[in-house]
């Protein structure tokens, strides 16, 4: 999802050549393949958005997959980028790197100040390692490797699979299916009380390009040697119950919403402090209702493919 948004945004600028490979052409978890790719191509800048991602259910059930695959991919790419002389790299992390009970909104220096949320600990540890790799390569080798920490992302090309998706696309699919089947109610995991921040993926792509294009003097005037990552979010959050109501409005579902409090809520609240991002000259532009309506339109346009996957 993020990669396709970055490609759309970069292509619209019409600057430079984009080197694009499918997973079948280049397996980023294979060190030899990654090293050969970087050795063969003249790569100036890298957006490292590739990752194994998922919601609470997927993270809970497959922690070994999440820590192994993400560590492999980011280690291979970051090291190959250094060895081949890439001038700048942007590593995309996740807001789950912060402690489960971090003060809200979460500032960048909250990293590693408390225990992580158990349901996505393996994924968070991998992302923390990616941040620290970028910082370490900068300290030892002088690499201009930067990190951004996105909040919960959504948009075109999202994962709508109910076993592995995040909350917003999962709810869009549940409500749409309920509409199609004339179901009287939609089941929602958890109590509905947790609060989450959401950012449209096109905003994330725009922020990523903005941050990587900043001259080093500007970027590193805000980032520090051991706290180099920049939060990227909308600056506002919403409860899961409020999100479900919004999605009900967008989809036209008029039935009941049933919260299953026996299922895990995850972190009580995740709202990013985006003051550093604002100081670097960027803020989100796509409102949540606008973005949800756009995403729902995209999902319904591709419903046959989504439903049969």
């Amino acid at each position: 999802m993020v990669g396709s948004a970055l490609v759309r945004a970069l292509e619209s600028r019409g600057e430079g050549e984009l080197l694009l490979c499918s997973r079948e052409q280049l397996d980023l978890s294979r060190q030899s393949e990654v090293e050969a790719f970087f050795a063969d191509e003249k790569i100036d800048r890298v957006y490292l958005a590739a990752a194994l991602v998922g919601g609470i259910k997927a993270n809970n059930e497959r922690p070994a997959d999440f820590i192994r695959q993400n560590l492999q991919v980011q280690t291979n790419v970051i090291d190959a980028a250094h060895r081949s002389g890439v001038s700048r790299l942007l590593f995309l992390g996740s807001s789950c790197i912060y402690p489960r009970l971090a003060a809200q909104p979460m500032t960048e220096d909250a990293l590693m100040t408390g225990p992580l949320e158990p349901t996505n600990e393996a994924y968070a540890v991998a992302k923390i390692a990616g941040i620290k790799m970028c910082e370490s390569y900068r300290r030892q080798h002088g690499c201009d490797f930067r990190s951004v920490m996105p909040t919960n992302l959504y948009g075109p090309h999202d994962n709508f699979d109910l076993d592995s998706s995040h909350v917003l696309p999962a709810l869009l699919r549940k409500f749409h299916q309920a509409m199609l089947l004339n179901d009287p109610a939609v089941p929602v995991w958890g109590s509905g009380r947790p609060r989450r921040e959401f950012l449209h993926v096109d905003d994330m792509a725009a922020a990523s390009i903005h941050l990587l294009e900043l001259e080093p003097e500007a970027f590193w005037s805000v980032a520090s040697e051991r706290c180099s990552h920049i939060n990227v979010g909308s600056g506002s959050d919403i409860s899961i119950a409020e999100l479900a109501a919004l999605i009900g409005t967008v989809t036209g579902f008029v039935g009941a919403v049933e919260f299953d409090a026996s299922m895990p809520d995850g972190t009580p609240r995740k709202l990013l402090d985006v003051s550093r991002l604002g100081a670097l000259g960027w803020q989100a532009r796509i409102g949540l209702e606008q973005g949800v309506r756009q995403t729902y339109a995209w999902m319904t346009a591709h419903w046959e493919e989504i439903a049969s996957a």
Side-chain angles (χ1 to χ4, degrees):
M1 177 176 66
V2 180
S4 61
L6 279 166
V7 169
R8 289 195 301 273
L10 290 167
E11 285 180 339
S12 70
R13 292 163 63 95
E15 302 171 2
E17 177 188 359
L18 300 183
L19 295 174
L20 308 175
C21 289
S22 67
R23 190 171 301 174
E24 291 71 28
Q25 294 171 309
L26 176 63
D27 185 346
L28 295 177
S29 68
R30 302 290 184 182
Q31 182 180 7
S32 59
E33 291 187 30
V34 176
E35 289 180 347
F37 176 75
F38 275 83
D40 291 343
E41 305 287 352
K42 295 187 182 300
I43 301 173
D44 179 54
R45 301 189 180 185
V46 171
Y47 292 90
L48 180 45
L52 174 64
V53 300
I56 289 178
K57 186 175 188 294
N59 273 271
N60 240 344
E61 294 178 352
R62 301 169 55 201
D65 291 345
F66 276 81
I67 195 167
R68 175 182 56 81
Q69 291 188 34
N70 286 300
L71 284 174
Q72 285 177 327
V73 167
Q74 62 204 37
T75 298
N76 291 341
V77 173
I78 291 170
D79 187 61
H82 156 62
R83 293 179 183 277
S84 64
V86 166
S87 65
R88 294 184 195 174
L89 176 145
L90 191 74
F91 172 71
L92 276 68
S94 166
S95 59
C96 71
I97 63 169
Y98 294 118
R100 181 178 189 274
L101 299 178
Q104 303 290 319
M106 297 179 288
T107 60
E108 285 86 351
D109 57 11
L111 181 64
M112 299 198 299
T113 60
L116 299 166
E117 162 60 36
T119 56
N120 55 26
E121 181 184 61
Y123 178 68
V125 167
K127 288 300 183 179
I128 292 170
I131 299 169
K132 293 303 174 183
M133 277 195 73
C134 289
E135 292 177 355
S136 298
Y137 275 69
R138 173 173 168 77
R139 285 165 50 210
Q140 183 173 339
H141 302 295
C143 300
D144 191 355
F145 291 176
R146 311 173 183 184
S147 299
V148 290
M149 294 304 111
T151 189
N152 297 284
L153 303 176
Y154 70 97
H157 300 282
D158 209 336
N159 172 19
F160 294 91
D161 182 274
L162 293 180
D163 285 331
S164 59
S165 63
H166 289 106
V167 61
L168 195 154
L171 289 179
L172 277 175
R173 177 166 183 164
K174 284 184 176 183
F175 276 80
H176 185 64
Q177 288 182 165
M179 288 280 293
L180 294 177
L181 299 173
N182 293 315
D183 289 338
V186 171
V188 179
W189 269 33
S191 66
R193 291 190 297 270
R195 300 186 67 83
R196 294 291 182 267
E197 176 184 21
F198 297 96
L199 184 72
H200 193 281
V201 71
D202 288 344
D203 267 346
M204 184 63 215
S208 297
I209 295 169
H210 175 82
L211 292 171
L212 192 61
E213 290 299 313
L214 285 174
E215 290 302 316
E217 299 77 22
F219 182 87
W220 294 103
S221 69
V222 172
S224 61
E225 187 176 74
R226 285 183 165 83
C227 188
S228 64
H229 56 289
I230 303 295
N231 289 338
V232 180
S234 64
S236 62
D237 61 1
I238 185 173
S239 73
I240 298 302
E242 291 168 328
L243 176 65
L246 172 61
I247 290 177
T249 298
V250 168
T251 60
F253 179 76
V254 294
V257 178
E258 298 178 345
F259 294 96
D260 183 356
S262 69
M263 304 305 290
D265 271 340
T267 303
R269 190 183 187 195
K270 288 205 302 183
L271 175 64
L272 295 180
D273 183 308
V274 292
S275 56
R276 282 191 180 184
L277 181 65
L280 291 170
W282 192 90
Q283 63 179 9
R285 295 169 175 81
I286 302 174
L288 182 59
E289 182 172 350
Q290 175 192 359
V292 170
R293 289 189 181 278
Q294 289 176 350
T295 305
Y296 183 54
W298 187 92
M299 187 194 78
T300 54
H302 296 81
W303 181 246
E304 185 175 342
E305 175 187 351
I306 291 169
S308 62

